[in-house]
Amino acid sequence: DQQVKQNSPSLSVQEGRISILNCDYTNSMFDYFLWYKKYPAEGPTFLISISSIKDKNEDGRFTVFLNKSAKHLSLHIVPSQPGDSAVYFCAARNSGNTPLVFGKGTRLSVIA
Amino acid sequence: GAGVSQSPSNKVTEKGKDVELRCDPISGHTALYWYRQSLGQGLEFLIYFQGNSAPDKSGLPSDRFSAERTGGSVSTLTIQRTQQEDSAVYLCASSLGAIRPQHFGDGTRLSIL
């Protein structure tokens, strides 16, 4: 049973436009959500996170939105840049000492 | 370096052999995690160490898998009698505490022939 789902395996966006990556989860006990970015042959890099007490968190070009009632979060990147081309993983966790549960990732390609 | 270091970066071995994968976490990080990523899959949790507490082994797929963390720092993941389905990238991560973002190493790509 996949608790964190990224239903789009890939996404292509033109440079300068907005990239929207989506993530759905099934476990209502999740209260902390993260996005990681991964380049080939490298480990994932932490990008941005959001606690369940918020519905939006912004950091520069990156904004994460959380809709708890829909169990849905999204990552917006604007404007998109060619260097943003990578695989993006959504992850979630329960409170306390629990490991992250990851989605399968979405490969973003930003076309110049 | 200042990041999480994993070795070897690549490992090719024959089915049935034992392998050891090493992780050097960021200095001062009390939490250490092992994940693996099989082809086309997300990151699958394997095991988690937090300070001196008993590790959370709930993600280990079989008793052929084990891990140690010596002195609260370096960790070794051991796979005994490797099988072809063990082929994956094994990723280690560490964090300042359980609720802080995890920092990943670049992984060990394990290929079982």
Side-chain angles (χ1 to χ4, degrees):
Chain A
D1 174 38
Q2 222 184 327
Q3 298 185 68
V4 177
K5 299 177 185 178
Q6 293 178 256
N7 292 320
S8 297
S10 63
L11 175 68
S12 288
V13 173
Q14 273 199 314
E15 181 180 7
R17 306 295 290 267
I18 185 170
S19 295
I20 300 175
L21 296 104
N22 293 303
C23 178
D24 297 290
Y25 61 96
T26 58
N27 188 338
S28 58
M29 298 300 291
F30 287 148
D31 63 358
Y32 188 59
F33 305 87
L34 307 89
W35 284 94
Y36 282 81
K37 174 180 176 179
K38 185 180 185 301
Y39 292 119
E42 295 184 10
T45 303
F46 169 70
L47 200 54
I48 193 168
S49 63
I50 188 166
S51 163
S52 61
I53 62 174
K54 295 186 176 182
D55 54 19
K56 177 183 174 181
N57 188 26
E58 190 173 351
D59 183 2
R61 296 185 299 114
F62 302 92
T63 303
V64 55
F65 295 92
L66 176 62
N67 182 335
K68 289 188 291 294
S69 60
K71 294 192 179 69
H72 176 83
L73 65 154
S74 61
L75 174 68
H76 292 208
I77 306 172
V78 57
S80 301
Q81 299 173 354
D84 296 330
S85 297
V87 177
Y88 288 78
F89 289 99
C90 171
R93 61 174 294 161
N94 298 338
S95 58
N97 295 344
T98 59
L100 292 174
V101 179
F102 284 83
K104 292 188 177 182
T106 296
R107 181 178 301 278
L108 174 67
S109 300
V110 179
I111 304 160
Chain B
V4 176
S5 177
Q6 291 187 246
S7 60
S9 54
N10 284 283
K11 177 73 176 177
V12 181
T13 193
E14 291 181 346
K15 176 182 170 181
K17 300 284 190 185
D18 297 351
V19 294
E20 281 190 356
L21 312 179
R22 177 186 168 104
C23 173
D24 282 275
I26 294 172
S27 178
H29 281 194
T30 58
L32 186 147
Y33 308 79
W34 283 97
Y35 296 86
R36 73 175 175 182
Q37 184 181 16
S38 302
L39 193 64
Q41 301 297 313
L43 279 71
E44 174 190 4
F45 165 72
L46 296 176
I47 188 169
Y48 158 53
F49 298 88
Q50 171 60 54
N52 295 321
S53 303
D56 176 354
K57 302 180 182 179
S58 60
L60 294 178
S62 79
D63 58 8
R64 296 187 294 105
F65 288 72
S66 63
E68 292 185 333
R69 188 178 185 192
T70 54
S73 180
V74 171
S75 177
T76 303
L77 177 69
T78 302
I79 309 173
Q80 296 179 309
R81 305 181 302 282
T82 51
Q83 303 294 314
Q84 287 189 328
E85 61 263 27
D86 300 334
S87 296
V89 177
Y90 288 80
L91 289 155
C92 175
S94 70
S95 64
L96 274 171
I99 62 171
R100 302 296 293 272
Q102 297 170 24
H103 298 265
F104 284 81
D106 288 340
T108 294
R109 181 174 296 278
L110 177 64
S111 300
I112 310 300
L113 301 179

